[in-house]
Amino acid sequence: MSDNKSYVIGLDYGTDSVRAVLLNAANGEEIATDVAYYKRWKQKLYCNASKNQFRQNPLDHIEGLEQTIKKVVATAGVKPAAIKGICIDTTGSSPMPLSKEGTPLALLPEFSENPNAMMVLWKDHTAIEEANEINKLSRSWGGQDFTQFEGGIYSSEWFWAKILHIAREDEVIKNAAYTWMEHCDYITYLLGDEKDLNTFKRSRCAAGHKAMWHESWDGLPSEEFLGKLNPYLSKLRNQLYKETYTSDEVAGNLNSEWAERLGLTTETVIAVGTFDAHAGAVGARIEEHTLVRVMGTSTCDIIVANENVIGKKAVKGICGQVNGSVIPGMVGLEAGQSAFGDLLAWFKDVLSWPLHNLVYTSESLTEAQKDNLKKEIEGNFIKQLAEAAKNIPLEESVPTALDWINGRRTPDANQELKAAMMDLNLGTKAPHIFKALVNAICFGAKKIVDRFESEGVKINTVIGIGGVARKSPFIMQTLANVLNMPIKIASSDQAPALGAAIYAAVAAGIYKDVIEASKHLGSNFEAEYHPQEDQVAVYKTLLESYSGLSVYIENNTSK
C-alpha cells in the first residue's frame, strides 16, 4: 500500500440500472454508493419482447454515469485528487455501433429513434438464425473451429451473431457503422483520453468470451471465416482490434471533458473495462475450485483455473474460457442461465394481471389508496409466495418445470428452447407453481455444475452474489440441497462494482496484482447454507423428473 488516503470507484452497469461504489483503497470500506435507473429502458423503448428484441439507448448509460459518480464523490466528501482510479463493468455481450468519430449511432439525430442503432442488450435473442449459421459454418468449413474456446457452441446473445443480424436487417446502420464496441469498452472509451479507435485497449474478457478472440489463432476469427458469413464482417474485422487487455491495465486517464463534468482530475486512471459477473467474482474473493454465481435477472457462473491444470483443454458447452478474463495469469471459465430471477418475475407478472387491470384501475379507490396498496403488494408478493412454498410438505405433489423461459445459455447454448411445466392438477396452487419454478432454476444450476465436473473442473464450494442471493433464503437453501454443496453469500450489495474498484486499485498502482487487492478489498460473507440430508435425496429424485422433461422438450423443439 502506498497511500491510505487513496480512493477508487467501481461502476457496475446492470440490466436495469448503473451502480457506483467509492471505496477506501486502504481497507475496502465502501464510503459511498449510488444507483441510477435507466429512464428510457424503464419505458420499454426500442424493445419488443414478443421478438426477444431488447435494446438500450446509450444516453441512459451516460446520464447514469454522471449522476452516480458525482453523487458518491459528493457524499464521500473526498478531494478529487484522492480518487486514483475508475473501472467499468457491464452486461455482455452488449455491443453498439459507432461512427468513425467514436460516437454511438444512437446519439446521432438521424438514428436517435432507430432500435438498430441502439446497444443490443445481452438478453436480445433476435440473432438466433445468425448464431445457427455461425455454428454450422464452424463445423463444416474445414478450417479452425473458432468456437472451440467458447464452449463449442456460439450463442445468439453474443457479439458476431448480433452484428450480423443488424447488418442484414438494416443496410443504413450497416453502412454508417465504422466499428462496434462492447458496452464496457464504450464507457471506458468515453471517459478516457485515448481516442484512437484503432489502438484503444479493448477488454480481454469481452473479446475472449463473446467475440471468439483467442491468442492461439492470433486474435479474432480470420477474414476468410467471417467473409463466408458475410463480407461485411470480414471488412469490420479490420476496424476492430487485434490485441486485448486485462482489467488490471490502464486504458488511459480521465479526459478533460469528463474530469470537468464529474468534478475530478485528469490524473485519475481509467482501467480497461470488463463484464459484470467477472468483476463480481473478484469482488467475492474468488479462488480455485470455487464457483461464483452472480444471481439476478439471469445468472453468470464464474470459475478460475490454473493454466497448468486446464492446459489447452476446451470445456464443452460453456460460455468461454479466457486467460486473464477474471484474474490475470489464470483461466476464467464462464457459464450461466438465461433466466433466473426473470423466471420468477414472469410468474409475478402473470399473477399480477388482475391487480393491474381490475384493482389498480378501480374507481372506488383513491389514488393514495392505490399507491399504498401497490407498495404493500410489491413489498410482499414474492416474500409471501416463498414462505408458502417453503411450507409445502415434501410428500405433497409439486409440478415439474423447466427454467428455459428465455432459452438456455448453459450447458450447450440453445436460445430456441422454451420453458415448460407438467404434473399440474386441480390441487395445484400458486405456491406449488412458485416452488416448481424455484426448483427449476436450481436444477438448471445443477446441470451447469455437473458439466464443469464432467469436464474435469473440480468445484468444492459455491459463492452467491447479487440480489437473489442476499434476499431469498428459501432459494439459497433449495440451491444448497440441489447441489449438495455449501453456499456462502457475499455481504456486499455491490459485488460487481466492488470487483471493478479492485481492478481500478491495481491499475492505479495501489496494489501489485488482483489477488492481493482482492484479499484486502473483497467482500466478507454474511451467511452460509448447508445441504439438509433429508432434502438432498428428495431433490435428487425431482431432478430426474426435470431431466426427463428437458430431454422431451429439447427433442420436440422445432428448429
Side-chain angles (χ1 to χ4, degrees):
M1 280 294 303
S2 59
D3 181 3
N4 62 8
K5 299 295 184 183
S6 296
Y7 301 88
V8 287
I9 293 174
L11 202 63
D12 168 45
Y13 282 90
T15 300
D16 301 317
S17 61
V18 57
R19 311 151 192 83
V21 58
L22 189 148
L23 204 68
N24 183 329
N27 57 20
E29 180 185 1
E30 294 181 15
I31 305 297
T33 63
D34 190 51
V35 178
Y37 291 89
Y38 309 141
K39 292 186 296 186
R40 298 162 189 82
W41 169 252
K42 195 171 183 179
Q43 298 173 50
K44 300 182 180 179
L45 299 179
Y46 321 113
C47 298
N48 185 339
S50 65
K51 293 169 53 181
N52 285 319
Q53 175 182 301
F54 298 100
R55 311 287 167 82
Q56 289 187 340
N57 192 317
L59 277 176
D60 275 341
H61 309 137
I62 295 169
E63 291 167 1
L65 153 72
E66 186 165 8
Q67 174 193 310
T68 55
I69 290 186
K70 288 170 77 171
K71 183 67 178 291
V72 296
V73 172
T75 301
V78 300
K79 294 180 179 178
I83 297 178
K84 303 300 183 182
I86 299 172
C87 181
I88 289 91
D89 75 73
T90 70
T91 65
S93 178
S94 299
M96 67 183 83
L98 270 63
S99 71
K100 196 166 187 176
E101 293 71 37
T103 303
L105 297 190
L107 302 187
L108 299 176
E110 60 268 38
F111 302 123
S112 62
E113 297 300 322
N114 185 338
N116 293 322
M118 305 295 159
M119 187 189 83
V120 187
L121 188 63
W122 65 269
K123 66 190 284 185
D124 186 296
H125 291 162
T126 53
I128 286 176
E129 290 184 13
E130 287 76 13
N132 288 340
E133 287 181 46
I134 291 171
N135 287 317
K136 183 178 179 180
L137 180 63
S138 296
R139 294 169 180 78
S140 64
W141 81 300
Q144 173 70 54
D145 180 2
F146 293 109
T147 71
Q148 178 183 352
F149 295 105
E150 305 272 22
I153 301 175
Y154 203 73
S155 170
S156 63
E157 292 184 347
W158 298 347
F159 188 79
W160 291 109
K162 288 178 170 177
I163 294 172
L164 180 55
H165 178 77
I166 299 294
R168 287 174 170 168
E169 187 172 84
D170 199 323
E171 187 82 12
V172 175
I173 294 297
K174 182 187 80 171
N175 293 334
Y178 173 77
T179 191
W180 288 71
M181 271 192 183
E182 283 284 357
H183 189 193
C184 66
D185 286 327
Y186 173 69
I187 300 297
T188 302
Y189 175 81
L190 177 72
L191 290 180
D193 58 356
E194 298 294 332
K195 294 302 184 185
D196 187 334
L197 289 172
N198 298 313
T199 58
F200 173 73
K201 292 181 179 178
R202 307 272 190 135
S203 166
R204 167 80 55 84
C205 177
H209 285 284
K210 310 303 179 187
M212 297 187 282
W213 181 95
H214 199 267
E215 58 269 20
S216 66
W217 48 74
D218 200 28
L220 293 167
S222 68
E223 286 185 53
E224 182 183 2
F225 175 81
L226 294 173
K228 287 180 179 294
L229 290 166
N230 192 296
Y232 171 71
L233 297 188
S234 180
K235 175 186 175 185
L236 177 64
R237 183 187 189 277
N238 296 319
Q239 291 160 200
L240 290 171
Y241 50 87
K242 180 178 179 181
E243 301 297 329
T244 63
Y245 300 84
T246 54
S247 293
D248 59 332
E249 298 190 59
V250 177
N253 280 54
L254 186 63
N255 62 55
S256 56
E257 176 191 349
W258 276 96
E260 183 176 348
R261 287 176 69 166
L262 299 174
L264 299 178
T265 79
T266 56
E267 295 301 309
T268 299
V269 164
I270 306 298
V272 173
T274 189
F275 282 161
D276 49 3
H278 303 74
V282 169
R285 303 188 186 190
I286 192 171
E287 55 188 12
E288 273 196 276
H289 309 306
T290 298
L291 174 68
V292 175
R293 304 207 82 220
V294 186
M295 290 176 271
T297 54
S298 67
T299 75
C300 276
D301 298 353
I302 305 295
I303 298 177
V304 292
N306 191 291
E307 291 178 85
N308 297 326
V309 172
I310 199 164
K312 297 186 182 299
K313 177 181 174 60
V315 179
K316 297 176 183 176
I318 64 169
C319 303
Q321 56 193 79
V322 181
N323 195 332
S325 66
V326 183
I327 296 175
M330 299 187 79
V331 177
L333 300 101
E334 177 189 345
Q337 292 166 270
S338 293
F340 195 77
D342 261 358
L343 182 59
L344 306 181
W346 163 81
F347 186 51
K348 176 187 172 186
D349 285 345
V350 171
L351 294 183
S352 298
W353 188 93
L355 295 173
H356 290 286
N357 290 276
L358 296 173
V359 179
Y360 299 154
T361 57
S362 172
E363 295 181 0
S364 65
L365 297 176
T366 67
E367 290 303 316
Q369 287 173 324
K370 291 176 186 178
D371 288 340
N372 290 336
L373 188 60
K374 285 180 184 178
K375 288 177 183 177
E376 183 179 352
I377 291 174
E378 287 295 315
N380 291 288
F381 204 111
I382 295 295
K383 182 180 177 181
Q384 292 297 323
L385 271 175
E387 188 65 25
K390 184 179 73 172
N391 292 325
I392 295 174
L394 286 179
E395 63 274 10
E396 191 166 324
S397 175
V398 170
T400 298
L402 298 183
D403 53 313
W404 301 338
I405 197 78
N406 197 23
R408 185 181 65 208
R409 182 181 295 160
T410 315
D412 304 319
N414 186 345
Q415 304 304 159
E416 293 181 275
L417 293 174
K418 306 295 183 185
M421 188 177 297
M422 69 177 189
D423 292 334
L424 295 164
N425 59 53
L426 290 175
T428 303
K429 308 299 182 187
H432 295 86
I433 297 175
F434 183 81
K435 188 166 186 172
L437 298 178
V438 170
N439 290 348
I441 58 179
C442 293
F443 293 148
K446 173 65 172 168
K447 292 295 184 181
I448 292 171
V449 169
D450 288 350
R451 174 57 60 87
F452 275 124
E453 295 199 320
S454 69
E455 291 285 312
V457 181
K458 185 175 176 55
I459 299 172
N460 293 332
T461 191
V462 177
I463 294 174
I465 66 176
V468 176
R470 297 198 69 208
K471 295 175 183 178
S472 182
F474 171 60
I475 296 176
M476 291 302 99
Q477 185 60 63
T478 303
L479 186 60
N481 291 334
V482 170
L483 298 182
N484 196 17
M485 288 182 181
I487 301 175
K488 295 191 293 185
I489 307 301
S491 58
S492 174
D493 274 329
Q494 313 291 359
L498 177 58
I502 288 170
Y503 285 130
V506 179
I510 300 170
Y511 292 91
K512 67 176 182 179
D513 57 41
V514 172
I515 294 175
E516 182 194 4
S518 182
K519 287 178 181 177
H520 282 87
L521 307 179
S523 176
N524 293 317
F525 301 99
E526 66 180 13
E528 187 165 357
Y529 297 88
H530 294 272
Q532 299 165 318
E533 288 186 22
D534 62 325
Q535 302 261 338
V536 169
V538 173
Y539 280 110
K540 188 175 181 180
T541 300
L542 294 174
L543 177 62
E544 292 175 2
S545 180
Y546 171 92
S547 299
L549 181 58
S550 298
V551 171
Y552 177 82
I553 293 298
E554 187 154 18
N555 288 342
N556 289 276
T557 296
S558 299
K559 291 290 184 182

